[in-house]
Amino acid sequence: MSASTLPTFHIPEGTCIAQAQPPMGQPVTLASPARAVMTDLTHVRAATVAPEAGLTQARDTMIHQGVRLLFVVRDMPCVEGLITSKDLEGERPLQIISQRGVKYEELSVADVMTPLAALDALDLEDLAHATVAQVVATLKHLGRHHLIVVQKAGSGHGPRVRGVISVTQVERQLGHSIDLIETAGNFAEIQATLAS
């Protein structure tokens, strides 16, 4: 049995490309549910990089995927940590270059990533009862550009990273900037701050 062909036509001049339309929902305000500003990883694929990847490769992946944060994953789907664009351009690479006497191109993601245990996280259940104002207050309190949302272990799965909240996304959805004072988040960052 042979399949019949579909009819074709010549495309008329003036034809345009369909543009993606963001879902039309309620505008986000400080009183909106906190989940409105979370990128849900059950709906959006997480951007990842291997710990042995070079920093240039990590930067290229961020640019290609249009993100500023990558989950560091050796064996999918288990997370070892994360790396942000700030990690690539901040003090950490410079300190390691100075300490080891190496070049930037010789550094790997594992050298500058933030390990899983050092990350600030929110519980998905707590987020379900919170507002955007509480998320903004938490970001300001911690001085962080990203928060990880974790879903507790359930039937059939262990704890898992369920979402990401980024200052950039919250600002975009609110329509105004958030004044954030960054803080050192781990002992190595505190030492580096004191040494400078």
Side-chain angles (χ1 to χ4, degrees):
M1 173 175 150
S2 64
S4 62
T5 61
L6 295 170
T8 62
F9 61 94
H10 292 277
I11 301 171
E13 283 191 41
T15 301
C16 300
I17 296 173
Q19 300 293 302
Q21 298 295 319
M24 297 304 288
Q26 296 294 324
V28 172
T29 68
L30 291 173
S32 297
R35 295 267 312 252
V37 294
M38 179 186 92
T39 300
D40 190 333
L41 297 178
T42 63
H43 301 297
V44 176
R45 185 180 175 142
T48 64
V49 68
E52 60 273 2
L55 298 188
T56 304
Q57 181 183 348
R59 178 181 293 118
D60 292 346
T61 301
M62 286 180 191
I63 292 167
H64 178 72
Q65 301 222 4
V67 296
R68 295 180 182 181
L69 174 148
L70 299 172
F71 288 99
V72 181
V73 176
R74 184 182 316 273
D75 297 314
M76 195 64 169
C78 297
V79 180
E80 294 185 21
L82 62 82
I83 187 165
T84 67
S85 57
K86 184 177 185 271
D87 295 330
L88 297 175
E89 301 158 4
E91 292 292 320
R92 278 191 225 174
L94 297 176
Q95 291 169 351
I96 295 169
I97 289 167
S98 174
Q99 291 168 356
R100 294 185 192 166
V102 296
K103 297 178 183 173
Y104 183 88
E105 295 77 24
E106 297 175 60
L107 297 180
S108 71
V109 167
D111 292 323
V112 299
M113 73 178 205
T114 303
L116 193 62
L119 296 174
D120 295 308
L122 298 174
D123 184 274
L124 183 64
E125 290 178 25
D126 291 340
L127 198 66
H129 306 289
T131 64
V132 172
Q134 290 173 291
V135 168
V136 170
T138 305
L139 287 163
K140 285 182 173 184
H141 172 73
L142 295 171
R144 295 288 183 209
H145 284 266
H146 298 91
L147 288 171
I148 306 302
V149 181
V150 175
Q151 184 177 15
K152 291 180 182 168
S155 60
H157 66 81
R160 59 186 182 171
V161 174
R162 178 62 188 272
V164 178
I165 297 172
S166 82
V167 168
T168 305
Q169 180 68 24
V170 175
E171 289 175 334
R172 186 178 304 124
Q173 288 182 262
L174 286 174
H176 60 81
S177 65
I178 296 169
D179 294 326
L180 192 68
I181 300 171
E182 294 184 47
T183 58
N186 60 41
F187 187 67
E189 289 178 7
I190 293 168
Q191 277 186 314
T193 303
L194 293 175
S196 21

